[in-house]
Amino acid sequence: MQPRKSGGFENMAESASRPEEARPAETRPAEEPGAGWEPVIVGFLCNWCSYAGADSAGTARMVHPPNVRVIRVPCSGRVNPRFILRAFQRGADGVLVSGCHPGDCHYSTGNYYARRRLVLLKRYLEYLGIDPRRFRTHWVSASEGQKFADIVREMTAEIKALGPGPKAKLGELV
Amino acid sequence: MPRKPMLDIERMRSAEEALRREARRLLADGVVSVFLGHEEGWDGLAVPSFATSPEDAEKLVWNPLVAPHLAKYLLDRLAGDEKVGIVVNGCGSLALERILKDRRFPRERLYIVGIPCTGILDPARVADLPPERRREVLETGRAEAGLFLDRCSWCDVPNAVVSDILVGEPVAEEPTVHEYPRAARLEAMSLEERFEHFKDLYERCIRCFACRNVCPACSCRECCLDQWEPLWLGRATSVPEQQMFHFIRAFDVAGRCIRCGECERVCPMGLPLMDFNDKLLKDIAELFGVERPHVPTDVEPLGRFDPQDPDFEEGAE
Amino acid sequence: MKRVGVFLCWCGSNIAGTVDVGRVAEKVRLLPGVVYVEENKYTCSEPGQASIMKAIKEHDLERVVVASCSPRLHEPTFRRTLEAAGMNPYHLEMANIREHCSWVHTDREEATAKAFDIVRMAVAKALRNEALQPGRISIEKKALVLGGGIAGIQAALDIADAGHQVILVEREPTIGGRMAQLDKTFPTLDCSSCILTPKMVDCAKHPNITLYTYSELEKVEGYIGNFNVTIRKKARGVDEALCTGCGLCQTKCPVKVDSEFDVGVGKRKAIYTPFPQAVPNKPVIDKENCRYHKTGKCRICERVCEAKAIRFDQEDTIIEEKVGAIVVATGFDLFDLETYGEYGYGLYPDVISSLQFERLINASGPTEGKIRRPSDQEVPRSVAFVLCVGSRDDQKGVSYCSRACCMYSVKHATQYREKVKDGRAFVFYMDIRTPGKAYEEFYRRSSVDYGVEYIRGRPSKIYQKGKKLVVRAEDTLLGRPVEVEVDMVVLAPAMVPKHDAAKMAQTLGVSYDGYGFLNEAHPKLRPVETNTAGIYLAGACQGPKDIPDTVAQAGAAAAKVAALFSQDELTTEPMVARVDEALCSGCLWCKPVCPYKAIEAKTITERVAGRTVTREVASVNVGLCQGCGACTVACRDGAMNLAGFTNDQVLAEVDDLLADLRPACGV
């Protein structure tokens, strides 16, 4: 079954200038660090505050680096520490977890439990030998688009300087 | 100051007699259908024993080698409603409390015999001694601190925290300031040194699951590590998977670990597994003001919060 | 594998201007599970949605991914599209390639690469989306209103007028609450009883309202739409059916004790109604002070009662009711003034509280409205009103502003000046807060027309000097200390939660703040709801407030209840937690972390190896669960999962995103 495109936009200038040759299937960071290597940062954002904060950065067109890939969760309390290590294990260079400010959780207490877990996890990951600058936790409210953009900018720059994440030193998964 | 473990062989011998008497009585009167204790296994080791008759009760021992905890065997006896007898010392009662607070076995079905304890020897360390020295230690009780189980060096529960009957005089409790030297030692290293230390551990691990199987805090009906959907942990024993394995193990018991160190003791590859748990115990104590993080409570530290908890952002409390 | 259709949006040039949508489409086509890819200029438009519906039918799509704007914007829109096409609306996933991508990145290559990543994560998640149905729970269309002050009365009347049954439970022998104790209300100075008593009578007479006075709430079980409440109707000692309210028993009773209603400045009998306009107008026997109950002698009331309504041996009755919603309107108490020893309350008889002043100035009060000093019954020729006693005090009191005291103190000073024409009224204040309608004007009049004298400074000490009281303060506007000798001092105590507010909150299962005020669900947007579904708040139990705000809040709570009762069944959130009972060990560590108390233990029976076993597992009340997922993290073996954000889905998003990454070291 061949997928179809709806018509109506073939006259757009962009479509005329599309290059014909196929690009490689993955547009991943280059294999050698330093040769324009870009870190991949997985971000767990809570739906009610931080995801909305990232949205408001978008609405206000606050430009920031494209290195964060957002995974939406209902609450920062939904973020299982296993997810975070899974991201590092599979090759993430950085992980960001962001939720509502304590006291403002949409579900009233989710972020308090998240806070305990995350504070403990931060120390533990550093103890395991993962650079603490790779795992950042923040509280970003729905109106703090600027804060979100700043976090992304800072984190990307810092991790870019640190180089590839812990998976590089651990070897292959299988 | 950590208490100094010591052996009182006389006291242990009379405790053993009293234990056998009690177990005999319980079984003969039909109060319990099985009594969990220890008996002498091969090479003088104390191995778990499941006495179902007064005659079996004669085999029960209480000696310096009764290191294995019995609480987890309760999970094999969930079916039915007969009562089960069990003997515990202090750390054994912590293991039992762990099973009870995790609601894995009903308290009403237990008859708990508590025996006050001032120290138990590490069977492996004793087995390494030359035969005459070994005999001397077991008969006189004169043993240096290094022969004892690691947990005896910090133990602040000489008396069982839960019991139906106590055998022997209670031991005076000494207030203990808990320290976590294993974690402190690693914290003092650099990030790279720590990484290498753990990478070495991951490489030597054979994923036998002995640590998980012996752990009283690990009692799920079906362990997440055995599941396929989702595949929390791949089966390959590659270093990244081993890192995940030990992470899940340690973080899942975080806040519920009783610091018994059985995981480390039973590991066939001699991995320093308490390096993981001690760090979490230390941080939970520090961060959340829990003085005795190894003692099971009704709501464990990660199951509650304080609006004034430490935060990772300035002025967020 | 499910058949996924991906719909990429250009959003005019909002997305296409930065992201090479065609390029993304090419790569998405190669993802496992994707059987159809389409690009649209405006997917949310009618033709765009129609195109989705057409594709669903023509290509037998089982899952839909729309890559466009934020799901916070259009997830409901596209869910409706799927529903219209006969698909379960929860088979939709959205990929946010606008707010999170095209709008914030400038490099076309990078933005395109990121857009593809976002879409592939959404596809991985969509493949694991399940068909979800909203839950349904029945609703008992009867409300319980706890508290018979103006808040409870108003809420009860509004709910009853909306056509629903209401049970109004009041702990005192009569409804009326604080407002019944007041004389006049600011800023209009209309008589409090005159506006309150008609409402009290309405409550008693309303066919939809059942009044239980001298009653307390003992137990609440259940959940929204299905609360089982236990009410203890305390023994009055009087048969309400027979009593005519003639009042003879009260007149003849030989025992006189301090009246709680008069806050100690007046007396009542051992058999009493708190005030003449009490509803119901049936007295109560105070067993602790009744001579018969204490000594076995007397029984005068029984002898004079023509209706033979006295019942000394009456017992409490327990009433069980089923209600669908509860409105909490339990009101407030006043700050303990003896905390401020430097003000002499409790030591000097002429230092009184504002509520006691209300009773003095009330025409039906113990002094028939004449302002008299408690010590010698003389008319005070000067009165000092002290504001913020207990409030706005981090050291000895509470930090908050008590909201109504400025206005009522202005009122008291005005009333005093009206009654004692040559008297001097001093108001010692920190600020005068007059936020309401006509409040500022009222305050101005008190100064300009009534000559009330305002001194900005918090008194440091009040002491007796002969027959006078000396108030020592700093006049901060003049910048110098002042000492004022007055005949009487009226302290304005902070409004605090009722002394047993915390216990009541625990009975109900609602949360409360550090002061004991009950917590609203959201401080700005949900002021009358709590985090416990089906329980609403009205009045000062939620925070200090004046009568207009209380009545407004009561109406709001009633509207919420009416909205709830407008349905026969409540549709509940489908993205809720659920328990895999085969995996669940029954450890119940999930239970304490639930903000909505939605998790309980449940006993199940199973056949295992030829025998029947019973064991406990966790159980989620889908009516209460709001889908936060905290329980799923507490659950170690994954028995607890969250529909719409399952463990499987999140792991798939992580795994799929990072699948093609080569380790940078080239191993």
Side-chain angles (χ1 to χ4, degrees):
Chain A
M1 183 91 62
Q2 283 303 310
R4 280 183 350 225
K5 261 193 273 254
S6 296
F9 50 77
E10 262 84 29
N11 343 338
M12 298 291 291
E14 280 79 5
S15 62
S17 68
R18 235 192 338 266
E20 286 310 315
E21 74 276 46
R23 291 193 70 233
E26 76 285 354
T27 47
R28 287 279 164 258
E31 292 183 1
E32 292 76 38
W37 169 80
E38 288 292 328
V40 172
I41 298 169
V42 178
F44 294 94
L45 305 189
C46 85
N47 177 63
W48 301 96
C49 287
S50 300
Y51 191 96
D55 277 353
S56 74
T59 321
R61 313 293 196 276
M62 295 177 184
V63 175
H64 54 263
N67 301 67
V68 172
R69 302 287 182 269
V70 172
I71 292 179
R72 185 166 73 127
V73 288
C75 177
S76 53
R78 176 72 185 94
V79 179
N80 196 321
R82 298 174 195 177
F83 299 157
I84 294 160
L85 195 72
R86 181 89 160 203
F88 281 125
Q89 185 203 38
R90 301 288 157 132
D93 306 298
V95 174
L96 167 68
V97 176
S98 183
C100 304
H101 287 261
D104 293 346
C105 180
H106 177 86
Y107 305 97
S108 82
T109 51
N111 58 357
Y112 284 126
Y113 294 109
R115 178 163 68 174
R116 276 215 168 181
R117 243 173 255 279
L118 294 173
V119 160
L120 191 63
L121 181 64
K122 279 167 90 73
R123 288 190 174 197
Y124 194 59
L125 288 182
E126 182 176 3
Y127 182 76
L128 293 182
I130 297 177
D131 195 305
R133 291 168 287 183
R134 295 187 183 279
F135 175 47
R136 283 176 68 145
T137 50
H138 285 283
W139 309 123
V140 171
S141 77
S143 57
E144 288 178 310
Q146 186 63 59
K147 183 174 179 185
F148 179 74
D150 289 342
I151 290 168
V152 174
R153 202 171 298 119
E154 262 174 49
M155 201 174 169
T156 305
E158 205 166 39
I159 295 180
K160 195 157 177 193
L162 282 175
K167 182 179 182 223
K169 295 192 288 177
L170 287 172
E172 278 301 332
L173 209 58
V174 183
Chain B
M1 289 305 298
R3 89 177 13 255
K4 214 166 124 48
M6 45 159 275
L7 290 174
D8 184 340
I9 299 290
E10 276 315 304
R11 174 205 264 260
M12 285 188 125
R13 287 216 182 97
S14 65
E16 185 181 87
E17 269 177 48
L19 168 65
R20 286 179 182 166
R21 229 179 6 249
E22 185 64 18
R24 248 191 341 257
R25 174 187 82 80
L26 292 167
L27 287 161
D29 292 349
V31 177
V32 303
S33 62
V34 62
F35 193 95
L36 309 186
H38 307 85
E39 67 185 50
E40 194 173 307
W42 62 275
D43 204 21
L45 285 176
V47 300
S49 178
F50 313 116
T52 48
S53 69
E55 294 73 48
D56 285 344
E58 291 308 319
K59 294 190 286 179
L60 294 174
V61 299
W62 189 257
N63 59 40
L65 298 173
V66 291
H69 286 152
L70 302 163
K72 271 201 104 170
Y73 292 112
L74 292 171
L75 298 179
D76 297 330
R77 289 170 164 75
L78 285 171
D81 36 23
E82 296 101 28
K83 276 187 125 171
V84 175
I86 187 171
V87 59
V88 291
N89 59 357
C91 54
S93 72
L94 288 183
L96 185 54
E97 270 286 73
R98 181 74 271 147
I99 296 283
L100 292 174
K101 295 268 188 258
D102 288 349
R103 302 171 62 118
R104 297 298 280 122
F105 198 84
R107 173 72 180 90
E108 318 81 72
R109 283 186 57 199
L110 281 175
Y111 192 95
I112 307 168
V113 177
I115 302 187
C117 168
T118 53
I120 300 284
L121 301 180
D122 184 324
R125 293 175 194 161
V126 168
D128 280 347
L129 293 173
E132 316 81 52
R133 177 84 188 99
R134 193 191 319 158
R135 221 178 358 256
E136 189 201 340
V137 165
L138 292 176
E139 279 169 18
T140 65
R142 275 197 298 275
E144 57 270 28
L147 281 180
F148 286 85
L149 292 169
D150 283 348
R151 60 183 179 260
C152 299
S153 68
W154 59 254
C155 173
D156 63 352
V157 282
N159 304 304
V161 301
V162 57
S163 62
D164 288 308
I165 181 178
L166 276 175
V167 163
E169 281 303 304
V171 172
E173 310 218 349
E174 283 165 24
T176 315
V177 172
H178 288 283
E179 285 167 354
Y180 303 91
R182 297 276 293 269
R185 189 179 77 92
L186 280 161
E187 283 170 357
M189 295 183 194
S190 73
L191 194 80
E192 287 72 28
E193 284 175 316
R194 278 202 298 276
F195 186 87
E196 286 308 312
H197 169 85
F198 287 118
K199 184 165 179 223
D200 175 65
L201 188 157
Y202 302 142
E203 282 173 337
R204 291 192 281 125
C205 173
I206 57 170
R207 194 86 68 80
C208 68
F209 287 123
C211 52
R212 175 201 63 182
N213 294 346
V214 83
C215 176
C218 263
S219 60
C220 292
R221 274 168 67 88
E222 187 176 307
C223 179
C224 66
L225 304 170
D226 291 332
Q227 287 174 19
W228 289 96
E229 272 180 29
L231 191 68
W232 295 104
L233 185 69
R235 301 300 185 257
T237 51
S238 60
V239 170
E241 293 286 19
Q242 302 294 47
Q243 180 193 55
M244 182 62 104
F245 167 60
H246 290 285
F247 176 84
I248 292 180
R249 261 279 297 146
F251 228 81
D252 270 12
V253 305
R256 297 179 316 112
C257 171
I258 60 164
R259 210 183 175 194
C260 64
E262 283 290 275
C263 50
E264 193 171 276
R265 190 177 71 81
V266 303
C267 173
M269 313 318 277
L271 304 179
L273 296 173
M274 284 309 283
D275 283 352
F276 294 122
N277 302 107
D278 259 18
K279 167 64 173 172
L280 289 167
L281 283 158
K282 176 172 187 271
D283 280 349
I284 284 173
E286 244 175 66
L287 290 169
F288 311 132
V290 184
E291 259 185 55
R292 302 168 76 208
H294 55 280
V295 176
T297 55
D298 282 333
V299 186
E300 40 104 11
L302 293 178
R304 48 170 210 265
F305 66 88
D306 185 328
Q308 309 299 325
D309 273 337
D311 202 305
F312 35 79
E313 277 200 353
E314 294 290 315
E317 292 95 27
Chain C
M1 192 167 272
K2 301 295 178 192
R3 299 169 61 79
V4 183
V6 181
F7 300 84
L8 300 157
C9 191
W10 283 44
C11 196
S13 66
N14 278 306
I15 295 176
T18 313
V19 170
D20 186 340
V21 183
R23 161 105 295 165
V24 175
E26 274 171 30
K27 289 157 49 164
V28 166
R29 224 166 269 144
L30 303 173
L31 289 173
V34 174
V35 300
Y36 178 76
V37 180
E38 179 182 293
E39 296 175 55
N40 284 295
K41 208 158 163 207
Y42 295 105
T43 315
C44 56
S45 67
E46 262 228 54
Q49 293 190 49
S51 183
I52 294 180
M53 289 170 62
K54 185 153 175 257
I56 289 173
K57 291 198 167 62
E58 286 187 6
H59 297 271
D60 274 328
L61 298 181
E62 294 167 299
R63 299 286 184 275
V64 167
V65 171
V66 176
S68 59
C69 50
S70 172
R72 291 175 55 86
L73 196 54
H74 275 317
E75 193 170 56
T77 314
F78 293 118
R79 285 216 176 119
R80 281 194 293 273
T81 313
L82 262 64
E83 212 165 12
M87 253 179 105
N88 185 292
Y90 296 93
H91 282 151
L92 170 80
E93 265 317 303
M94 286 189 68
N96 183 340
I97 59 172
R98 190 182 72 172
E99 281 87 334
H100 286 188
C101 192
S102 69
W103 270 353
V104 287
H105 306 315
T106 48
D107 183 299
R108 195 173 172 74
E109 289 299 318
E110 290 177 335
T112 305
K114 180 169 170 176
F116 170 64
D117 278 349
I118 295 173
V119 176
R120 82 179 292 176
M121 285 203 288
V123 170
K125 185 161 185 233
L127 282 168
R128 292 157 179 84
N129 273 358
E130 304 147 315
L132 299 179
Q133 302 296 339
R136 298 212 189 285
I137 49 181
S138 64
I139 303 176
E140 180 72 36
K141 295 191 193 189
K142 193 190 259 188
L144 170 71
V145 176
L146 203 58
I150 183 62
I153 289 170
Q154 187 62 51
L157 287 171
D158 285 346
I159 298 170
D161 283 345
H164 304 294
Q165 296 294 313
V166 181
I167 300 167
L168 179 51
V169 173
E170 165 58 52
R171 141 195 304 182
E172 297 298 322
T174 169
I175 56 175
R178 294 285 178 209
M179 224 177 135
Q181 292 174 296
L182 307 182
D183 176 40
K184 295 192 160 56
T185 56
F186 58 77
T188 43
L189 292 181
D190 40 2
C191 151
S192 185
S193 287
C194 308
I195 54 179
L196 176 67
T197 43
K199 284 195 191 274
M200 286 166 62
V201 173
D202 281 348
C203 256
K205 297 250 179 302
H206 204 297
N208 285 345
I209 299 180
T210 308
L211 205 51
Y212 291 125
T213 52
Y214 207 50
S215 303
E216 301 224 25
L217 181 69
E218 281 216 324
K219 198 156 75 143
V220 176
E221 284 175 327
Y223 52 93
I224 183 173
N226 301 276
F227 290 108
N228 291 314
V229 301
T230 306
I231 299 162
R232 173 179 293 272
K233 193 161 166 35
K234 298 184 290 196
R236 280 180 119 91
V238 169
D239 186 331
E240 286 179 69
L242 295 177
C243 171
T244 59
C246 69
L248 201 52
C249 52
Q250 294 184 65
T251 319
K252 296 295 185 197
C253 175
V255 178
K256 262 194 202 172
V257 292
D258 277 343
S259 161
E260 297 88 349
F261 187 78
D262 284 335
V263 207
V265 295
K267 298 271 187 226
R268 62 159 172 85
K269 299 298 183 70
I271 182 169
Y272 71 103
T273 49
F275 56 95
Q277 302 89 355
V279 170
N281 193 7
K282 318 272 178 191
V284 147
I285 296 179
D286 169 9
K287 286 188 185 154
E288 288 189 20
N289 289 295
C290 165
R291 204 167 277 177
Y292 170 71
H293 278 286
K294 285 195 335 188
T295 65
K297 300 200 175 67
C298 186
R299 301 177 81 133
I300 290 179
C301 52
E302 192 181 35
R303 276 194 304 215
V304 301
C305 178
E306 287 178 9
K308 303 270 176 280
I310 304 291
R311 297 276 179 280
F312 287 113
D313 52 0
Q314 196 181 60
E315 303 256 325
D316 294 352
T317 29
I318 301 293
I319 299 161
E320 309 267 353
E321 288 271 10
K322 184 150 189 232
V323 298
I326 301 176
V327 178
V328 186
T330 46
F332 66 95
D333 273 341
L334 291 176
F335 190 84
D336 179 11
L337 288 171
E338 292 193 27
T339 309
Y340 288 81
E342 62 267 39
Y343 289 170
Y345 182 83
L347 188 62
Y348 311 127
D350 295 326
V351 176
I352 62 174
S353 75
S354 51
L355 196 56
Q356 288 171 317
F357 186 82
E358 283 282 351
R359 297 310 301 146
L360 290 179
I361 208 170
N362 195 315
S364 55
T367 58
E368 291 171 348
K370 302 185 193 37
I371 304 175
R372 297 258 179 275
R373 286 165 28 120
S375 60
D376 56 10
Q377 298 304 307
E378 294 281 314
V379 176
R381 303 246 77 92
S382 54
V383 179
F385 297 90
V386 179
L387 299 186
C388 298
V389 185
S391 45
R392 304 181 64 187
D393 188 344
D394 286 337
Q395 307 298 324
K396 284 182 9 176
V398 292
S399 305
Y400 55 84
C401 163
S402 189
R403 201 166 171 125
C405 338
C406 283
M407 280 306 292
Y408 73 56
S409 298
V410 168
K411 172 190 78 174
H412 284 167
T414 306
Q415 285 178 293
Y416 168 75
R417 287 281 303 135
E418 265 185 336
K419 296 212 166 176
V420 184
K421 297 263 184 287
D422 57 343
R424 287 182 81 181
F426 301 96
V427 175
F428 288 86
Y429 69 98
M430 298 218 292
D431 295 283
I432 299 287
R433 294 182 163 172
T434 55
K437 211 164 176 176
Y439 285 17
E440 178 70 12
E441 297 90 315
F442 182 70
Y443 159 52
R444 287 289 174 87
R445 275 202 305 282
S446 74
S447 167
V448 170
D449 294 345
Y450 288 88
V452 172
E453 295 168 76
Y454 287 91
I455 300 171
R456 187 174 183 278
R458 206 172 204 175
S460 55
K461 193 166 173 63
I462 298 173
Y463 60 92
Q464 189 98 36
K465 190 172 151 193
K467 288 181 74 173
K468 296 266 193 199
L469 290 158
V470 182
V471 180
R472 191 185 279 172
E474 185 199 347
D475 185 331
T476 57
L477 292 177
L478 292 179
R480 55 159 205 255
V482 293
E483 272 193 11
V484 179
E485 286 187 10
V486 294
D487 289 329
M488 193 161 89
V489 172
V490 181
L491 304 176
M495 287 164 76
V496 297
K498 274 257 187 304
H499 63 97
D500 59 346
K503 182 158 165 286
M504 173 58 58
Q506 283 159 18
T507 304
L508 291 164
V510 295
S511 62
Y512 50 97
D513 67 15
Y515 301 113
F517 289 114
L518 303 181
N519 279 335
E520 64 287 323
H522 190 282
K524 283 166 275 290
L525 298 180
R526 300 175 69 196
V528 295
E529 299 161 272
T530 61
N531 266 328
T532 310
I535 302 188
Y536 307 93
L537 301 175
C541 61
Q542 181 254 353
K545 54 180 62 72
D546 52 22
I547 294 166
D549 284 348
T550 297
V551 173
Q553 221 184 25
K560 294 289 180 200
V561 172
L564 176 64
F565 291 178
S566 69
Q567 315 156 75
D568 287 319
E569 280 184 325
L570 190 60
T571 307
T572 58
E573 168 71 58
M575 289 190 161
V576 292
R578 57 163 190 256
V579 180
D580 182 337
E581 291 178 355
L583 289 178
C584 178
S585 315
C587 75
L588 288 187
W589 286 122
C590 48
K591 186 170 168 189
V593 303
C594 178
Y596 306 101
K597 301 195 176 31
I599 300 177
E600 291 295 335
K602 180 173 102 169
T603 310
I604 62 171
T605 336
E606 293 176 320
R607 292 284 297 172
V608 177
R611 49 200 299 196
T612 306
V613 290
T614 44
R615 61 185 179 94
E616 276 199 337
V617 294
S619 163
V620 176
N621 181 328
V622 299
L624 295 180
C625 174
Q626 300 299 315
C628 73
C631 54
T632 60
V633 178
C635 179
R636 301 182 309 279
D637 67 359
M640 187 70 83
N641 220 338
L642 181 64
F645 295 95
T646 61
N647 289 321
D648 215 19
Q649 286 179 308
V650 178
L651 288 173
E653 285 181 276
V654 172
D655 290 355
D656 208 82
L657 168 69
L658 300 165
D660 300 329
L661 270 188
R662 301 275 175 270
C665 64
V667 165

